[in-house]
Amino acid sequence: MKMEPSSAATSCREKRRNVSSTAHDTAKRLKSEQEGAVAPPLCPPRISVPLDRLQQPITLTELTELLHYAALGKTGGIQQPSWCRLHHQRKVKGVNVVIVEGLTQSHFYKHYLTLRRLRTNYSSRITFTPPSQNVASGIFSNEVPKSDDPSLSKTHMDNSQIPKAVKFHPVISKFGTRTRGLTAYLLSQEEMIQKNYPVKGMPGFEEFVCTDSVECATDSSPLYGLDCEMCLTEKGNELTRVSLVDSDGNCVLDDLVKPETRILNYLTMFSGVTAAMLRPVTTTLRDVQAKLRALLPRDAVLVGHSINSDLGALKLIHRHLIDTALLYRKEFGQKFKLKILAENILKRQIQTEEKKGHHPTEDAVAALELAQYFIKTGPRQVVEHHLEELWGYTIEEEIIELPAPTPSHRFADILQTLGRSVAFIGKRSDVALDLSHQQWHNSDKEVLASFRRRAECPFLSVLRLSSLSDHLKRCVPHREQQYQRVCANLRDMCVVFAGPFPAGFSEKEAKRLFRRCGPVRKIKLLNTSVRVHAEVEFELLEGATLALKTLNGLSLQGQSIKVQRPVYESMLDVDLTLDALAHDALDTSHLYAVKSKPSVTERINNSAMINGNTLDAKCPGAACVKTANGLHSAKGNDKRLQLETELSEETLTETFGHFGAVERILLPAKAGKHTRHAYIKFESPEVKHAALSSSDDPRTEDYVICPSLTPPHLRSWAALTTSTVDTEGEDEGSGHMHVSSQDQEIELVVGKLDRCLGKLFRSLPECTLSVVVLLGHDSADDPHPGLCFMEIKSGSR
């Protein structure tokens, strides 16, 4: 039989262990300090997209997978998204999604230089498939997979048994059964407008004064009780006394007010104000308005009983209100008197007959405490405790056994169940979210200001920016034509003109020559009356760049050809765009490589030397690597040359691996015997630069290389320039040579959008997942893809 150790022995043993452990930890800490050891750095959350998934567009459903995981994580029963990886999810403090209307993926790269903040703030970028549904509504209403989270299951079980008299009670119908924070009981803007509360911008309130309040209150915002007394004047009811109490019930303001016009009736029976009391008073309505504005914190919540009357007398507009007459609601819109509520709930007598009229401070305290009691106790307990004395019902002994209610798995509902705030800010639209969590604005500037004014950032915020879309609708009558212009401008970046070629030079020979720089999409021979030229369109930006660097000045049958870009007004800044793309955060470690047949590489090198252009590492942006095999004839050696020009991950890793670690080789989607180009991703930018400086390295013979320019999420640059609309036969150069005033206006609006996105990103709290979605355009005939940007806000950004 095993004996249990005595408690005394166990205690002594634990004490010795603790002392020993403390001594050991102290010695270890001192040793670390002496050796100059530094604590391991904290690992912030970060997001990444695997390279093999990067070129597949994501849908709204896949985007919500990321948002669900970021907000709930594995502890909430959510698995990592299938298309990306969010590292250290538990450190994510919030989620912010910005929906930009009017911009497609092609628009982003057309305005790439202008959208500097957008492209530099976000390290992950992936094509987005435009959905047919409202994106904001889809984010809030998309269902989260079922979870075993105990905090959720407890909430749902609380609702499984409801007394018969409570089930359809007006309080329960409005507020539900769950105890929530004070923001759940704030009047929404829609309710305030409907019930004629003072609201800024609404007719009848033009002369009202607004308090300096934040856009959105929080559950920790302070409550202030307010009550006013009025008299009858020639103008109607006017203010004669105002009282304000803080959240502890302390009176911070109690002033008599002299009306501007002649008093007809002091209403002393109700107000308690007499002519003698007002005779020496000089305080005006403007004075108490100024005092209230100074006393109220920016996130204060005003509480009152039928507080719309008090604010009307004060001629004051305040954003955040709780009306106890609407908390303790009756059927058919009827209201309890404050005296009845105080007597039955607070067990306090107010407005008694022995008192001459009401006392506003007493009433303000009563309204405040009624609101505090309701918030703390919760609607279900309030109804059950006071059902008979207030509403005249009795709770029968029999409790209806309701089937366990089907819990809501909507994303917004789950977050609110967990006590996390959600918000939508943007242009009014049909969003699947309670109106109390929505703020409507017509311009991006107002949306940004509204978000930045908040005292506390919501855990999940969705912002809708529509100024650019509105501008395009007003100023661009033919949106499809404008999109075609954008595609044409992007296409020009992959186009070169070359010539003159020898007489009889065929299109097949031209294609064979230029595909040594990369895949060719289209070649068009331009036969003038004297000489032959060609218009060459590449699939990739790198192809056009290498053609300029390596084929310009090439001698064909003793005749030197010239390779140049098209000279259009829209192409004047193409060198700046290409330089920015080469330094894009997505491409810092990527290299583009083409393997040419030895004969071609040798001819390029020899020709370059003849024309005085040494194509080595000193040639900016490209390196043409020499061959040591001499000049080979293409004829008679087709099989051997075919084997030499085929690329594979193994050969490329072996060839370029000696410069440093190769992380990934990206071959074309349909790699085969004609594959001659690939992207190489190194583990660091330094390895990439070492490879670019390797033109004299014999181990990389027969390769032409340059920095990667085409963003890795695109299969080809041509994907940005194509549309399902048939444009064959049109004069492709005629619609985009000239930059119109319309284009310049759009550029200015895009610049404002970029500045707005930059300010918004800077205002986000640290460790917030920030997502920007360029919606694209959903059309059955010709859908235009959007673009999704992702980043975790860190202290360094």
Side-chain angles (χ1 to χ4, degrees), residues 623-790:
C624 186
V625 189
K626 297 178 182 178
T627 177
N629 297 329
L631 188 64
H632 298 281
S633 170
K635 296 180 181 179
N637 295 287
D638 288 342
K639 291 184 179 180
R640 185 181 61 79
L641 289 174
Q642 178 178 309
L643 291 172
E644 287 182 354
T645 54
E646 286 180 23
L647 291 184
S648 66
E649 290 188 27
E650 294 76 13
T651 57
L652 286 167
T653 302
E654 182 180 354
T655 302
F656 289 91
H658 66 274
F659 297 112
V662 174
E663 185 176 314
R664 189 70 183 272
I665 302 294
L666 300 172
L667 292 168
K670 295 181 180 179
K673 66 180 182 180
H674 298 298
T675 301
R676 296 185 177 89
H677 74 280
Y679 290 95
I680 304 165
K681 186 178 189 304
F682 297 101
E683 284 194 353
S684 70
E686 291 75 21
V687 181
K688 166 188 166 180
H689 295 311
L692 281 172
S693 306
S694 68
S695 59
D696 294 326
D697 194 318
R699 290 171 293 189
T700 55
E701 59 185 18
D702 304 330
Y703 286 94
V704 183
I705 57 176
C706 73
S708 176
L709 300 174
T710 302
H713 70 93
L714 296 175
R715 292 184 184 275
S716 72
W717 189 259
L720 298 173
T721 70
T722 55
S723 172
T724 56
V725 174
D726 184 16
T727 56
E728 288 295 330
E730 295 182 7
D731 183 2
E732 295 178 341
S734 62
H736 51 87
M737 293 182 187
H738 178 64
V739 177
S740 65
S741 59
Q742 189 181 89
D743 294 330
Q744 294 172 345
E745 289 178 11
I746 293 174
E747 197 75 29
L748 290 174
V749 179
V750 170
K752 289 181 181 179
L753 170 66
D754 185 62
R755 290 191 291 275
C756 177
L757 290 170
K759 291 176 182 177
L760 178 62
F761 186 79
R762 289 198 302 273
S763 67
L764 293 175
E766 193 168 348
C767 293
T768 297
L769 169 62
S770 175
V771 178
V772 175
V773 180
L774 310 186
L775 275 188
H777 176 62
D778 176 50
S779 168
D781 299 326
D782 191 21
H784 308 321
L787 199 55
C788 181
F789 299 80
M790 298 159 291

Side-chain angles (χ1 to χ4, degrees), residues 485-506:
R485 285 170 60 86
V486 169
C487 291
N489 292 153
L490 295 172
R491 168 189 171 274
D492 290 339
M493 296 174 65
C494 282
V495 171
V496 296
F497 286 91
F501 292 104
F505 199 73
S506 68

Side-chain angles (χ1 to χ4, degrees), residues 229-233 236-240 259 263 265-267 278:
E229 302 299 340
M230 281 78 80
C231 66
L232 182 64
T233 71
N237 288 331
E238 288 194 60
L239 182 71
T240 54
I263 298 175
N265 190 337
Y266 285 90
L267 304 176
L278 281 184

Side-chain angles (χ1 to χ4, degrees), residues 316-549:
L316 193 71
I317 294 174
H318 189 75
R319 289 178 183 271
H320 315 304
L321 305 174
I322 292 178
D323 195 330
T324 50
L326 299 179
L327 282 184
Y328 300 88
R329 55 184 59 213
K330 299 172 72 175
E331 294 90 343
F332 312 114
Q334 300 177 33
K335 299 178 182 178
F336 287 109
K337 290 183 178 180
L338 180 62
K339 177 180 179 179
I340 300 298
L341 292 175
E343 181 180 340
N344 287 279
I345 293 177
L346 303 179
K347 309 303 179 186
R348 182 185 309 158
Q349 298 291 324
I350 63 171
Q351 302 173 0
T352 55
E353 291 183 3
E354 59 267 20
K355 293 182 181 178
K356 193 174 182 179
H358 301 177
H359 193 291
T361 302
E362 183 181 63
D363 291 355
V365 170
L368 172 72
E369 292 182 0
L370 284 168
Q372 290 173 329
Y373 172 78
F374 192 99
I375 295 167
K376 181 179 179 180
T377 308
R380 178 172 177 176
Q381 296 299 319
V382 167
V383 171
E384 289 181 347
H385 291 169
H386 306 283
L387 187 62
E388 185 173 358
E389 55 188 336
L390 277 180
W391 287 278
Y393 303 149
T394 57
I395 299 179
E396 300 176 3
E397 292 296 325
E398 177 191 4
I399 294 180
I400 51 173
E401 291 287 342
L402 295 175
T406 303
S408 171
H409 291 286
R410 289 163 26 111
F411 188 32
D413 295 340
I414 292 289
L415 291 178
Q416 291 178 87
T417 300
L418 296 172
R420 297 176 179 177
S421 56
V422 298
F424 169 79
I425 309 175
K427 199 170 183 179
R428 182 172 183 171
S429 63
D430 186 16
V431 177
L433 186 67
D434 189 88
L435 290 173
S436 61
H437 300 294
Q438 297 189 44
Q439 291 287 333
W440 298 330
H441 301 283
N442 288 326
S443 72
D444 294 354
K445 185 177 180 180
E446 292 172 349
V447 171
L448 175 64
S450 172
F451 182 78
R452 296 172 78 185
R453 277 198 302 266
R454 288 172 173 260
E456 184 177 323
C457 186
F459 181 85
L460 171 64
S461 53
V462 178
L463 279 61
R464 179 185 177 196
L465 304 184
S466 54
S467 291
L468 175 62
S469 177
D470 293 342
H471 175 83
L472 292 175
K473 289 175 183 176
R474 289 193 308 267
C475 304
V476 184
H478 305 292
R479 296 285 294 275
E480 190 57 42
Q481 290 181 10
Q482 194 268 342
Y483 182 75
Q484 294 299 330
R485 285 170 60 86
V486 169
C487 291
N489 292 153
L490 295 172
R491 168 189 171 274
D492 290 339
M493 296 174 65
C494 282
V495 171
V496 296
F497 286 91
F501 292 104
F505 199 73
S506 68
E507 185 177 309
K508 184 177 181 181
E509 289 174 309
K511 188 171 185 178
R512 186 183 301 141
L513 173 64
F514 283 94
R515 72 182 181 190
R516 307 308 172 189
C517 299
V520 173
R521 184 184 176 205
K522 189 191 302 182
I523 286 187
K524 181 180 179 181
L525 288 183
L526 308 172
N527 292 298
T528 64
S529 58
V530 180
R531 300 183 295 186
V532 178
H533 293 76
E535 179 184 357
V536 185
E537 181 183 348
F538 288 91
E539 291 274 352
L540 304 168
L541 291 173
E542 295 85 353
T545 300
L546 284 179
L548 290 166
K549 298 291 185 182

Side-chain angles (χ1 to χ4, degrees), residues 196-220:
N196 203 35
Y197 284 72
V199 175
K200 184 179 180 181
M202 297 303 294
F205 306 114
E206 293 84 0
E207 297 180 1
F208 279 46
V209 174
C210 295
T211 58
D212 183 24
S213 58
V214 294
E215 194 73 30
C216 190
T218 67
D219 287 338
S220 58

